[in-house]
Amino acid sequence: MSLQQDVDLLRNIPLFSKIEPSKLKLLAFTAERLTFNVGDVLCHQGDEGDSAYIIIAGEADVLVDTDSGQVTVATLKTNDFVGETAILCDVPRTATVKAKSDVETLMISKDLFFQLVCQFPSMSIEIMRELARRVERTTAQLREAVSQRPVEPRN
Amino acid sequence: MSLQQDVDLLRNIPLFSKIEPSKLKLLAFTAERLTFNVGDVLCHQGDEGDSAYIIIAGEADVLVDTDSGQVTVATLKTNDFVGETAILCDVPRTATVKAKSDVETLMISKDLFFQLVCQFPSMSIEIMRELARRVERTTAQLREAVSQRPVEPRN
């Protein structure tokens, strides 16, 4: 794929939509494209991780190990990003991400991530927005799970 | 309090610790100090909101309405921030925040928030870090709540 085609592709990702096309060339040069086949694992819960992924095509499940087995907590689609927690918080991967179909991704290393965030505030705002949405979504699920707990029988 | 004292106070808040002291003057000029007495409500779940708060002193409970009543999901302490979801996601307040003791806050309006984020990438990174931690914490609580669900009896 030509550099121009790469830039066009990046421009269509909402995370980068407010970045000037000329500056997107840096990103097109630096970010790595990685393709996964259905069933492949992008990252394993508990592993060290120093990169995030943006889904360019396909779908991937986010799986979390619980006492009752592995639970799918979300399904990622085109333009979603994942893996930023290990970069931001210096913790092991907090979930397993598994390709639900063939998946094409843009891999953003830790260094590139911090470079981008420092250069492009619009990208930071989009990431904050998405993280705030995730806090909300998880809190809503938690609220529901707590409401469903059985009331202790009175003797 | 003098401007210099205000700047010294801001410099000790981790969110602003990497911002040059000279630039903190802008913030000291623009951000509003608000004091709440124990039991006062900083914001109500469901209300429109266009400001975030940084706790300078005291503690505040984050309360969420559930089917089983109001649940305390977190307690905020000095240097914690709250209220950014309504600003970032343009949604009503997602929780009620109530002063657990007398509480002193720095109120950051929506406009100032976006100004700061655009000018100070270090602040964006701190906010992203805290949001990522919150996703993690809530996901862990959810995992636990799901694990505690009773297994359906087999007939």
Side-chain angles (χ1 to χ4, degrees), chain A residues 64-66 88-89 94 114 117 125 127-129 131 136 141-143 148-149, chain B residues 64-66 88 94 114 117 125 127-129 131 136 141-143 148-149:
Chain A
V64 169
D65 297 327
T66 72
L88 283 167
C89 304
T94 54
F114 285 113
V117 161
I125 292 170
I127 295 175
M128 281 188 256
R129 234 168 228 157
L131 290 174
E136 273 327 294
Q141 286 172 310
L142 176 62
R143 211 153 47 212
Q148 283 175 5
R149 266 187 205 162
Chain B
V64 169
D65 296 327
T66 73
L88 283 166
T94 54
F114 284 114
V117 161
I125 292 171
I127 295 175
M128 280 187 255
R129 233 168 228 155
L131 290 174
E136 274 325 294
Q141 286 172 310
L142 176 63
R143 210 151 52 212
Q148 284 176 5
R149 268 187 203 160

PDB file of all heavy atoms in Angstrom, chain A residues 64-66 88-89 94 114 117 125 127-129 131 136 141-143 148-149, chain B residues 64-66 88 94 114 117 125 127-129 131 136 141-143 148-149:
ATOM      1  N   VAL A  64     -12.085 -11.749  29.842  1.00  0.00           N
ATOM      2  CA  VAL A  64     -11.514 -11.589  31.171  1.00  0.00           C
ATOM      3  C   VAL A  64     -11.687 -12.901  31.936  1.00  0.00           C
ATOM      4  O   VAL A  64     -12.764 -13.508  31.906  1.00  0.00           O
ATOM      5  CB  VAL A  64     -12.206 -10.411  31.904  1.00  0.00           C
ATOM      6  CG1 VAL A  64     -11.829 -10.388  33.375  1.00  0.00           C
ATOM      7  CG2 VAL A  64     -11.838  -9.093  31.243  1.00  0.00           C
ATOM      8  N   ASP A  65     -10.604 -13.351  32.587  1.00  0.00           N
ATOM      9  CA  ASP A  65     -10.681 -14.568  33.408  1.00  0.00           C
ATOM     10  C   ASP A  65     -11.407 -14.266  34.709  1.00  0.00           C
ATOM     11  O   ASP A  65     -11.052 -13.318  35.400  1.00  0.00           O
ATOM     12  CB  ASP A  65      -9.267 -15.077  33.740  1.00  0.00           C
ATOM     13  CG  ASP A  65      -8.505 -15.488  32.485  1.00  0.00           C
ATOM     14  OD1 ASP A  65      -9.148 -15.969  31.539  1.00  0.00           O
ATOM     15  OD2 ASP A  65      -7.276 -15.299  32.453  1.00  0.00           O
ATOM     16  N   THR A  66     -12.411 -15.054  35.031  1.00  0.00           N
ATOM     17  CA  THR A  66     -13.093 -14.913  36.321  1.00  0.00           C
ATOM     18  C   THR A  66     -13.091 -16.282  37.000  1.00  0.00           C
ATOM     19  O   THR A  66     -12.680 -17.278  36.393  1.00  0.00           O
ATOM     20  CB  THR A  66     -14.566 -14.468  36.167  1.00  0.00           C
ATOM     21  OG1 THR A  66     -15.321 -15.573  35.653  1.00  0.00           O
ATOM     22  CG2 THR A  66     -14.706 -13.289  35.235  1.00  0.00           C
ATOM     23  N   LEU A  88      -0.428   2.991  29.824  1.00  0.00           N
ATOM     24  CA  LEU A  88      -0.651   4.144  30.704  1.00  0.00           C
ATOM     25  C   LEU A  88      -0.318   3.831  32.154  1.00  0.00           C
ATOM     26  O   LEU A  88       0.212   4.661  32.867  1.00  0.00           O
ATOM     27  CB  LEU A  88      -2.116   4.589  30.616  1.00  0.00           C
ATOM     28  CG  LEU A  88      -2.515   5.388  29.379  1.00  0.00           C
ATOM     29  CD1 LEU A  88      -4.025   5.475  29.275  1.00  0.00           C
ATOM     30  CD2 LEU A  88      -1.928   6.796  29.447  1.00  0.00           C
ATOM     31  N   CYS A  89      -0.702   2.639  32.597  1.00  0.00           N
ATOM     32  CA  CYS A  89      -0.618   2.346  34.036  1.00  0.00           C
ATOM     33  C   CYS A  89       0.558   1.445  34.398  1.00  0.00           C
ATOM     34  O   CYS A  89       0.713   1.121  35.579  1.00  0.00           O
ATOM     35  CB  CYS A  89      -1.915   1.708  34.519  1.00  0.00           C
ATOM     36  SG  CYS A  89      -3.373   2.697  34.187  1.00  0.00           S
ATOM     37  N   THR A  94      -4.666  -6.455  31.205  1.00  0.00           N
ATOM     38  CA  THR A  94      -5.786  -6.683  32.117  1.00  0.00           C
ATOM     39  C   THR A  94      -6.874  -7.540  31.482  1.00  0.00           C
ATOM     40  O   THR A  94      -7.868  -7.846  32.127  1.00  0.00           O
ATOM     41  CB  THR A  94      -6.366  -5.338  32.565  1.00  0.00           C
ATOM     42  OG1 THR A  94      -6.685  -4.594  31.386  1.00  0.00           O
ATOM     43  CG2 THR A  94      -5.367  -4.557  33.392  1.00  0.00           C
ATOM     44  N   PHE A 114       3.019   8.046  23.478  1.00  0.00           N
ATOM     45  CA  PHE A 114       3.277   9.270  24.244  1.00  0.00           C
ATOM     46  C   PHE A 114       3.669  10.432  23.331  1.00  0.00           C
ATOM     47  O   PHE A 114       3.298  11.571  23.574  1.00  0.00           O
ATOM     48  CB  PHE A 114       4.314   9.022  25.347  1.00  0.00           C
ATOM     49  CG  PHE A 114       3.730   8.266  26.512  1.00  0.00           C
ATOM     50  CD1 PHE A 114       4.135   6.978  26.825  1.00  0.00           C
ATOM     51  CD2 PHE A 114       2.735   8.846  27.300  1.00  0.00           C
ATOM     52  CE1 PHE A 114       3.568   6.280  27.890  1.00  0.00           C
ATOM     53  CE2 PHE A 114       2.168   8.155  28.371  1.00  0.00           C
ATOM     54  CZ  PHE A 114       2.574   6.870  28.668  1.00  0.00           C
ATOM     55  N   VAL A 117       0.323  11.658  21.849  1.00  0.00           N
ATOM     56  CA  VAL A 117      -0.495  12.343  22.839  1.00  0.00           C
ATOM     57  C   VAL A 117       0.065  13.745  23.106  1.00  0.00           C
ATOM     58  O   VAL A 117      -0.686  14.706  23.287  1.00  0.00           O
ATOM     59  CB  VAL A 117      -0.548  11.491  24.131  1.00  0.00           C
ATOM     60  CG1 VAL A 117      -0.960  12.316  25.320  1.00  0.00           C
ATOM     61  CG2 VAL A 117      -1.478  10.304  23.934  1.00  0.00           C
ATOM     62  N   ILE A 125      -7.945  14.002  23.740  1.00  0.00           N
ATOM     63  CA  ILE A 125      -9.345  14.230  24.123  1.00  0.00           C
ATOM     64  C   ILE A 125     -10.203  13.041  23.702  1.00  0.00           C
ATOM     65  O   ILE A 125     -11.039  12.564  24.463  1.00  0.00           O
ATOM     66  CB  ILE A 125      -9.862  15.567  23.535  1.00  0.00           C
ATOM     67  CG1 ILE A 125      -9.135  16.727  24.238  1.00  0.00           C
ATOM     68  CG2 ILE A 125     -11.370  15.700  23.697  1.00  0.00           C
ATOM     69  CD1 ILE A 125      -9.359  18.089  23.624  1.00  0.00           C
ATOM     70  N   ILE A 127      -9.222   9.958  23.338  1.00  0.00           N
ATOM     71  CA  ILE A 127      -8.904   8.816  24.209  1.00  0.00           C
ATOM     72  C   ILE A 127      -9.573   8.991  25.573  1.00  0.00           C
ATOM     73  O   ILE A 127     -10.182   8.062  26.102  1.00  0.00           O
ATOM     74  CB  ILE A 127      -7.369   8.641  24.360  1.00  0.00           C
ATOM     75  CG1 ILE A 127      -6.750   8.274  23.010  1.00  0.00           C
ATOM     76  CG2 ILE A 127      -7.035   7.559  25.388  1.00  0.00           C
ATOM     77  CD1 ILE A 127      -5.243   8.193  23.018  1.00  0.00           C
ATOM     78  N   MET A 128      -9.493  10.200  26.122  1.00  0.00           N
ATOM     79  CA  MET A 128     -10.152  10.461  27.418  1.00  0.00           C
ATOM     80  C   MET A 128     -11.651  10.204  27.323  1.00  0.00           C
ATOM     81  O   MET A 128     -12.252   9.630  28.220  1.00  0.00           O
ATOM     82  CB  MET A 128      -9.933  11.915  27.832  1.00  0.00           C
ATOM     83  CG  MET A 128      -8.577  12.160  28.417  1.00  0.00           C
ATOM     84  SD  MET A 128      -8.468  13.836  29.097  1.00  0.00           S
ATOM     85  CE  MET A 128      -7.514  14.590  27.836  1.00  0.00           C
ATOM     86  N   ARG A 129     -12.219  10.675  26.210  1.00  0.00           N
ATOM     87  CA  ARG A 129     -13.656  10.484  25.985  1.00  0.00           C
ATOM     88  C   ARG A 129     -14.013   8.991  26.011  1.00  0.00           C
ATOM     89  O   ARG A 129     -14.952   8.575  26.677  1.00  0.00           O
ATOM     90  CB  ARG A 129     -13.996  11.043  24.607  1.00  0.00           C
ATOM     91  CG  ARG A 129     -15.079  12.005  24.643  1.00  0.00           C
ATOM     92  CD  ARG A 129     -15.268  12.793  23.384  1.00  0.00           C
ATOM     93  NE  ARG A 129     -15.389  14.183  23.769  1.00  0.00           N
ATOM     94  CZ  ARG A 129     -15.138  15.212  22.993  1.00  0.00           C
ATOM     95  NH1 ARG A 129     -14.739  15.031  21.770  1.00  0.00           N
ATOM     96  NH2 ARG A 129     -15.281  16.427  23.450  1.00  0.00           N
ATOM     97  N   LEU A 131     -12.265   6.515  27.293  1.00  0.00           N
ATOM     98  CA  LEU A 131     -12.028   5.921  28.614  1.00  0.00           C
ATOM     99  C   LEU A 131     -13.160   6.292  29.565  1.00  0.00           C
ATOM    100  O   LEU A 131     -13.631   5.450  30.344  1.00  0.00           O
ATOM    101  CB  LEU A 131     -10.677   6.378  29.180  1.00  0.00           C
ATOM    102  CG  LEU A 131      -9.433   5.811  28.480  1.00  0.00           C
ATOM    103  CD1 LEU A 131      -8.169   6.454  29.025  1.00  0.00           C
ATOM    104  CD2 LEU A 131      -9.354   4.292  28.645  1.00  0.00           C
ATOM    105  N   GLU A 136     -18.133   4.531  32.437  1.00  0.00           N
ATOM    106  CA  GLU A 136     -19.583   4.596  32.550  1.00  0.00           C
ATOM    107  C   GLU A 136     -20.242   3.261  32.269  1.00  0.00           C
ATOM    108  O   GLU A 136     -21.129   2.806  32.979  1.00  0.00           O
ATOM    109  CB  GLU A 136     -20.143   5.641  31.561  1.00  0.00           C
ATOM    110  CG  GLU A 136     -20.147   6.978  32.169  1.00  0.00           C
ATOM    111  CD  GLU A 136     -20.406   6.867  33.655  1.00  0.00           C
ATOM    112  OE1 GLU A 136     -21.515   6.458  34.063  1.00  0.00           O
ATOM    113  OE2 GLU A 136     -19.479   7.126  34.422  1.00  0.00           O
ATOM    114  N   GLN A 141     -22.836  -1.752  34.178  1.00  0.00           N
ATOM    115  CA  GLN A 141     -22.887  -3.224  34.276  1.00  0.00           C
ATOM    116  C   GLN A 141     -22.765  -3.653  35.734  1.00  0.00           C
ATOM    117  O   GLN A 141     -23.446  -4.567  36.188  1.00  0.00           O
ATOM    118  CB  GLN A 141     -21.741  -3.845  33.464  1.00  0.00           C
ATOM    119  CG  GLN A 141     -21.967  -3.787  31.957  1.00  0.00           C
ATOM    120  CD  GLN A 141     -20.720  -4.242  31.197  1.00  0.00           C
ATOM    121  OE1 GLN A 141     -19.617  -3.776  31.471  1.00  0.00           O
ATOM    122  NE2 GLN A 141     -20.882  -5.149  30.252  1.00  0.00           N
ATOM    123  N   LEU A 142     -21.899  -2.957  36.483  1.00  0.00           N
ATOM    124  CA  LEU A 142     -21.692  -3.276  37.901  1.00  0.00           C
ATOM    125  C   LEU A 142     -22.979  -3.026  38.689  1.00  0.00           C
ATOM    126  O   LEU A 142     -23.395  -3.837  39.515  1.00  0.00           O
ATOM    127  CB  LEU A 142     -20.548  -2.423  38.455  1.00  0.00           C
ATOM    128  CG  LEU A 142     -20.244  -2.561  39.940  1.00  0.00           C
ATOM    129  CD1 LEU A 142     -19.805  -3.980  40.286  1.00  0.00           C
ATOM    130  CD2 LEU A 142     -19.152  -1.576  40.370  1.00  0.00           C
ATOM    131  N   ARG A 143     -23.614  -1.879  38.375  1.00  0.00           N
ATOM    132  CA  ARG A 143     -24.870  -1.501  39.045  1.00  0.00           C
ATOM    133  C   ARG A 143     -25.891  -2.614  38.842  1.00  0.00           C
ATOM    134  O   ARG A 143     -26.561  -3.034  39.766  1.00  0.00           O
ATOM    135  CB  ARG A 143     -25.361  -0.215  38.401  1.00  0.00           C
ATOM    136  CG  ARG A 143     -26.114   0.665  39.319  1.00  0.00           C
ATOM    137  CD  ARG A 143     -26.020   2.104  38.904  1.00  0.00           C
ATOM    138  NE  ARG A 143     -26.255   2.348  37.499  1.00  0.00           N
ATOM    139  CZ  ARG A 143     -25.665   3.314  36.799  1.00  0.00           C
ATOM    140  NH1 ARG A 143     -24.776   4.083  37.373  1.00  0.00           N
ATOM    141  NH2 ARG A 143     -25.938   3.501  35.537  1.00  0.00           N
ATOM    142  N   GLN A 148     -28.794  -7.519  40.874  1.00  0.00           N
ATOM    143  CA  GLN A 148     -29.270  -8.890  40.665  1.00  0.00           C
ATOM    144  C   GLN A 148     -28.880  -9.856  41.782  1.00  0.00           C
ATOM    145  O   GLN A 148     -29.265 -11.000  41.762  1.00  0.00           O
ATOM    146  CB  GLN A 148     -28.724  -9.436  39.337  1.00  0.00           C
ATOM    147  CG  GLN A 148     -29.485  -8.887  38.147  1.00  0.00           C
ATOM    148  CD  GLN A 148     -28.862  -9.326  36.841  1.00  0.00           C
ATOM    149  OE1 GLN A 148     -27.927 -10.115  36.832  1.00  0.00           O
ATOM    150  NE2 GLN A 148     -29.384  -8.837  35.739  1.00  0.00           N
ATOM    151  N   ARG A 149     -28.044  -9.344  42.741  1.00  0.00           N
ATOM    152  CA  ARG A 149     -27.636 -10.234  43.825  1.00  0.00           C
ATOM    153  C   ARG A 149     -28.854 -10.618  44.648  1.00  0.00           C
ATOM    154  O   ARG A 149     -29.709  -9.782  44.939  1.00  0.00           O
ATOM    155  CB  ARG A 149     -26.658  -9.493  44.754  1.00  0.00           C
ATOM    156  CG  ARG A 149     -25.242  -9.740  44.381  1.00  0.00           C
ATOM    157  CD  ARG A 149     -24.340  -9.134  45.425  1.00  0.00           C
ATOM    158  NE  ARG A 149     -23.068  -8.837  44.864  1.00  0.00           N
ATOM    159  CZ  ARG A 149     -22.194  -8.000  45.403  1.00  0.00           C
ATOM    160  NH1 ARG A 149     -22.482  -7.350  46.489  1.00  0.00           N
ATOM    161  NH2 ARG A 149     -21.023  -7.822  44.843  1.00  0.00           N
TER     162      ARG A 149
ATOM    163  N   VAL B  64     -24.098   6.274  43.746  1.00  0.00           N
ATOM    164  CA  VAL B  64     -24.817   5.922  42.523  1.00  0.00           C
ATOM    165  C   VAL B  64     -26.172   5.331  42.903  1.00  0.00           C
ATOM    166  O   VAL B  64     -26.250   4.506  43.820  1.00  0.00           O
ATOM    167  CB  VAL B  64     -23.976   4.925  41.688  1.00  0.00           C
ATOM    168  CG1 VAL B  64     -24.793   4.331  40.560  1.00  0.00           C
ATOM    169  CG2 VAL B  64     -22.732   5.611  41.133  1.00  0.00           C
ATOM    170  N   ASP B  65     -27.227   5.790  42.225  1.00  0.00           N
ATOM    171  CA  ASP B  65     -28.571   5.245  42.474  1.00  0.00           C
ATOM    172  C   ASP B  65     -28.691   3.882  41.812  1.00  0.00           C
ATOM    173  O   ASP B  65     -28.396   3.733  40.624  1.00  0.00           O
ATOM    174  CB  ASP B  65     -29.645   6.175  41.882  1.00  0.00           C
ATOM    175  CG  ASP B  65     -29.635   7.539  42.564  1.00  0.00           C
ATOM    176  OD1 ASP B  65     -29.334   7.587  43.769  1.00  0.00           O
ATOM    177  OD2 ASP B  65     -29.918   8.539  41.876  1.00  0.00           O
ATOM    178  N   THR B  66     -29.128   2.871  42.579  1.00  0.00           N
ATOM    179  CA  THR B  66     -29.387   1.547  42.012  1.00  0.00           C
ATOM    180  C   THR B  66     -30.806   1.141  42.404  1.00  0.00           C
ATOM    181  O   THR B  66     -31.449   1.835  43.192  1.00  0.00           O
ATOM    182  CB  THR B  66     -28.415   0.467  42.553  1.00  0.00           C
ATOM    183  OG1 THR B  66     -28.779   0.165  43.907  1.00  0.00           O
ATOM    184  CG2 THR B  66     -26.975   0.919  42.510  1.00  0.00           C
ATOM    185  N   LEU B  88     -16.547  15.530  29.259  1.00  0.00           N
ATOM    186  CA  LEU B  88     -15.960  14.816  28.115  1.00  0.00           C
ATOM    187  C   LEU B  88     -17.031  14.209  27.220  1.00  0.00           C
ATOM    188  O   LEU B  88     -16.899  14.195  26.001  1.00  0.00           O
ATOM    189  CB  LEU B  88     -15.027  13.703  28.604  1.00  0.00           C
ATOM    190  CG  LEU B  88     -13.649  14.127  29.118  1.00  0.00           C
ATOM    191  CD1 LEU B  88     -12.992  12.989  29.876  1.00  0.00           C
ATOM    192  CD2 LEU B  88     -12.758  14.542  27.943  1.00  0.00           C
ATOM    193  N   THR B  94     -23.208  11.349  36.127  1.00  0.00           N
ATOM    194  CA  THR B  94     -23.430   9.910  36.217  1.00  0.00           C
ATOM    195  C   THR B  94     -23.411   9.427  37.670  1.00  0.00           C
ATOM    196  O   THR B  94     -23.604   8.246  37.927  1.00  0.00           O
ATOM    197  CB  THR B  94     -22.351   9.164  35.418  1.00  0.00           C
ATOM    198  OG1 THR B  94     -21.070   9.615  35.900  1.00  0.00           O
ATOM    199  CG2 THR B  94     -22.466   9.478  33.939  1.00  0.00           C
ATOM    200  N   PHE B 114     -10.701  22.102  28.594  1.00  0.00           N
ATOM    201  CA  PHE B 114     -10.178  21.836  27.247  1.00  0.00           C
ATOM    202  C   PHE B 114      -8.955  22.698  26.926  1.00  0.00           C
ATOM    203  O   PHE B 114      -8.031  22.245  26.258  1.00  0.00           O
ATOM    204  CB  PHE B 114     -11.283  21.990  26.195  1.00  0.00           C
ATOM    205  CG  PHE B 114     -12.233  20.819  26.194  1.00  0.00           C
ATOM    206  CD1 PHE B 114     -13.555  20.962  26.570  1.00  0.00           C
ATOM    207  CD2 PHE B 114     -11.783  19.555  25.855  1.00  0.00           C
ATOM    208  CE1 PHE B 114     -14.422  19.868  26.601  1.00  0.00           C
ATOM    209  CE2 PHE B 114     -12.643  18.455  25.881  1.00  0.00           C
ATOM    210  CZ  PHE B 114     -13.963  18.617  26.251  1.00  0.00           C
ATOM    211  N   VAL B 117      -6.040  20.930  28.749  1.00  0.00           N
ATOM    212  CA  VAL B 117      -5.682  19.673  28.097  1.00  0.00           C
ATOM    213  C   VAL B 117      -4.890  19.959  26.810  1.00  0.00           C
ATOM    214  O   VAL B 117      -3.946  19.246  26.479  1.00  0.00           O
ATOM    215  CB  VAL B 117      -6.974  18.860  27.828  1.00  0.00           C
ATOM    216  CG1 VAL B 117      -6.749  17.814  26.782  1.00  0.00           C
ATOM    217  CG2 VAL B 117      -7.477  18.239  29.130  1.00  0.00           C
ATOM    218  N   ILE B 125      -2.101  13.169  30.125  1.00  0.00           N
ATOM    219  CA  ILE B 125      -1.590  11.822  30.426  1.00  0.00           C
ATOM    220  C   ILE B 125      -2.022  11.397  31.822  1.00  0.00           C
ATOM    221  O   ILE B 125      -2.479  10.267  32.030  1.00  0.00           O
ATOM    222  CB  ILE B 125      -0.052  11.770  30.237  1.00  0.00           C
ATOM    223  CG1 ILE B 125       0.287  11.927  28.753  1.00  0.00           C
ATOM    224  CG2 ILE B 125       0.526  10.462  30.778  1.00  0.00           C
ATOM    225  CD1 ILE B 125       1.749  12.110  28.440  1.00  0.00           C
ATOM    226  N   ILE B 127      -4.662  12.399  33.426  1.00  0.00           N
ATOM    227  CA  ILE B 127      -6.106  12.137  33.413  1.00  0.00           C
ATOM    228  C   ILE B 127      -6.388  10.776  32.757  1.00  0.00           C
ATOM    229  O   ILE B 127      -7.164   9.971  33.266  1.00  0.00           O
ATOM    230  CB  ILE B 127      -6.875  13.266  32.682  1.00  0.00           C
ATOM    231  CG1 ILE B 127      -6.735  14.577  33.470  1.00  0.00           C
ATOM    232  CG2 ILE B 127      -8.355  12.914  32.520  1.00  0.00           C
ATOM    233  CD1 ILE B 127      -7.348  15.775  32.791  1.00  0.00           C
ATOM    234  N   MET B 128      -5.708  10.505  31.644  1.00  0.00           N
ATOM    235  CA  MET B 128      -5.891   9.199  30.977  1.00  0.00           C
ATOM    236  C   MET B 128      -5.511   8.066  31.919  1.00  0.00           C
ATOM    237  O   MET B 128      -6.187   7.054  31.996  1.00  0.00           O
ATOM    238  CB  MET B 128      -5.010   9.118  29.732  1.00  0.00           C
ATOM    239  CG  MET B 128      -5.602   9.835  28.560  1.00  0.00           C
ATOM    240  SD  MET B 128      -4.610   9.514  27.079  1.00  0.00           S
ATOM    241  CE  MET B 128      -3.785  11.042  26.936  1.00  0.00           C
ATOM    242  N   ARG B 129      -4.391   8.260  32.636  1.00  0.00           N
ATOM    243  CA  ARG B 129      -3.920   7.259  33.586  1.00  0.00           C
ATOM    244  C   ARG B 129      -4.996   6.975  34.635  1.00  0.00           C
ATOM    245  O   ARG B 129      -5.322   5.831  34.924  1.00  0.00           O
ATOM    246  CB  ARG B 129      -2.687   7.835  34.289  1.00  0.00           C
ATOM    247  CG  ARG B 129      -1.536   6.929  34.213  1.00  0.00           C
ATOM    248  CD  ARG B 129      -0.237   7.523  34.631  1.00  0.00           C
ATOM    249  NE  ARG B 129       0.733   7.204  33.612  1.00  0.00           N
ATOM    250  CZ  ARG B 129       1.824   7.870  33.350  1.00  0.00           C
ATOM    251  NH1 ARG B 129       2.124   8.942  34.038  1.00  0.00           N
ATOM    252  NH2 ARG B 129       2.632   7.475  32.395  1.00  0.00           N
ATOM    253  N   LEU B 131      -8.211   7.594  34.468  1.00  0.00           N
ATOM    254  CA  LEU B 131      -9.404   6.985  33.869  1.00  0.00           C
ATOM    255  C   LEU B 131      -9.162   5.508  33.590  1.00  0.00           C
ATOM    256  O   LEU B 131     -10.026   4.664  33.828  1.00  0.00           O
ATOM    257  CB  LEU B 131      -9.797   7.731  32.584  1.00  0.00           C
ATOM    258  CG  LEU B 131     -10.364   9.143  32.776  1.00  0.00           C
ATOM    259  CD1 LEU B 131     -10.568   9.824  31.432  1.00  0.00           C
ATOM    260  CD2 LEU B 131     -11.688   9.113  33.528  1.00  0.00           C
ATOM    261  N   GLU B 136     -10.135  -0.185  35.225  1.00  0.00           N
ATOM    262  CA  GLU B 136      -9.616  -1.410  35.824  1.00  0.00           C
ATOM    263  C   GLU B 136     -10.309  -1.769  37.111  1.00  0.00           C
ATOM    264  O   GLU B 136     -10.707  -2.902  37.348  1.00  0.00           O
ATOM    265  CB  GLU B 136      -8.102  -1.268  36.103  1.00  0.00           C
ATOM    266  CG  GLU B 136      -7.312  -1.622  34.914  1.00  0.00           C
ATOM    267  CD  GLU B 136      -8.013  -2.739  34.178  1.00  0.00           C
ATOM    268  OE1 GLU B 136      -8.118  -3.862  34.709  1.00  0.00           O
ATOM    269  OE2 GLU B 136      -8.500  -2.469  33.067  1.00  0.00           O
ATOM    270  N   GLN B 141     -14.287  -5.001  40.146  1.00  0.00           N
ATOM    271  CA  GLN B 141     -15.494  -5.095  40.992  1.00  0.00           C
ATOM    272  C   GLN B 141     -16.590  -5.874  40.272  1.00  0.00           C
ATOM    273  O   GLN B 141     -17.294  -6.685  40.860  1.00  0.00           O
ATOM    274  CB  GLN B 141     -16.014  -3.694  41.340  1.00  0.00           C
ATOM    275  CG  GLN B 141     -15.160  -2.960  42.367  1.00  0.00           C
ATOM    276  CD  GLN B 141     -15.608  -1.509  42.536  1.00  0.00           C
ATOM    277  OE1 GLN B 141     -15.777  -0.785  41.549  1.00  0.00           O
ATOM    278  NE2 GLN B 141     -15.810  -1.077  43.763  1.00  0.00           N
ATOM    279  N   LEU B 142     -16.690  -5.624  38.954  1.00  0.00           N
ATOM    280  CA  LEU B 142     -17.701  -6.319  38.153  1.00  0.00           C
ATOM    281  C   LEU B 142     -17.419  -7.818  38.107  1.00  0.00           C
ATOM    282  O   LEU B 142     -18.323  -8.644  38.257  1.00  0.00           O
ATOM    283  CB  LEU B 142     -17.710  -5.733  36.731  1.00  0.00           C
ATOM    284  CG  LEU B 142     -18.637  -6.376  35.713  1.00  0.00           C
ATOM    285  CD1 LEU B 142     -20.098  -6.237  36.132  1.00  0.00           C
ATOM    286  CD2 LEU B 142     -18.453  -5.755  34.324  1.00  0.00           C
ATOM    287  N   ARG B 143     -16.126  -8.136  37.921  1.00  0.00           N
ATOM    288  CA  ARG B 143     -15.702  -9.528  37.871  1.00  0.00           C
ATOM    289  C   ARG B 143     -16.103 -10.238  39.166  1.00  0.00           C
ATOM    290  O   ARG B 143     -16.642 -11.332  39.154  1.00  0.00           O
ATOM    291  CB  ARG B 143     -14.174  -9.550  37.735  1.00  0.00           C
ATOM    292  CG  ARG B 143     -13.606 -10.707  37.008  1.00  0.00           C
ATOM    293  CD  ARG B 143     -12.312 -10.350  36.329  1.00  0.00           C
ATOM    294  NE  ARG B 143     -11.331  -9.726  37.198  1.00  0.00           N
ATOM    295  CZ  ARG B 143     -10.453  -8.815  36.771  1.00  0.00           C
ATOM    296  NH1 ARG B 143     -10.450  -8.422  35.529  1.00  0.00           N
ATOM    297  NH2 ARG B 143      -9.575  -8.309  37.592  1.00  0.00           N
ATOM    298  N   GLN B 148     -19.938 -13.827  42.160  1.00  0.00           N
ATOM    299  CA  GLN B 148     -20.768 -14.092  43.339  1.00  0.00           C
ATOM    300  C   GLN B 148     -22.202 -14.468  42.997  1.00  0.00           C
ATOM    301  O   GLN B 148     -22.990 -14.769  43.883  1.00  0.00           O
ATOM    302  CB  GLN B 148     -20.780 -12.867  44.257  1.00  0.00           C
ATOM    303  CG  GLN B 148     -19.496 -12.732  45.045  1.00  0.00           C
ATOM    304  CD  GLN B 148     -19.472 -11.470  45.878  1.00  0.00           C
ATOM    305  OE1 GLN B 148     -20.466 -10.748  45.917  1.00  0.00           O
ATOM    306  NE2 GLN B 148     -18.367 -11.211  46.536  1.00  0.00           N
ATOM    307  N   ARG B 149     -22.535 -14.356  41.688  1.00  0.00           N
ATOM    308  CA  ARG B 149     -23.907 -14.712  41.306  1.00  0.00           C
ATOM    309  C   ARG B 149     -24.155 -16.182  41.596  1.00  0.00           C
ATOM    310  O   ARG B 149     -23.308 -17.025  41.311  1.00  0.00           O
ATOM    311  CB  ARG B 149     -24.120 -14.470  39.812  1.00  0.00           C
ATOM    312  CG  ARG B 149     -24.653 -13.105  39.534  1.00  0.00           C
ATOM    313  CD  ARG B 149     -24.993 -13.000  38.067  1.00  0.00           C
ATOM    314  NE  ARG B 149     -24.992 -11.619  37.667  1.00  0.00           N
ATOM    315  CZ  ARG B 149     -24.875 -11.218  36.421  1.00  0.00           C
ATOM    316  NH1 ARG B 149     -24.711 -12.092  35.458  1.00  0.00           N
ATOM    317  NH2 ARG B 149     -24.912  -9.951  36.127  1.00  0.00           N
TER     318      ARG B 149
END
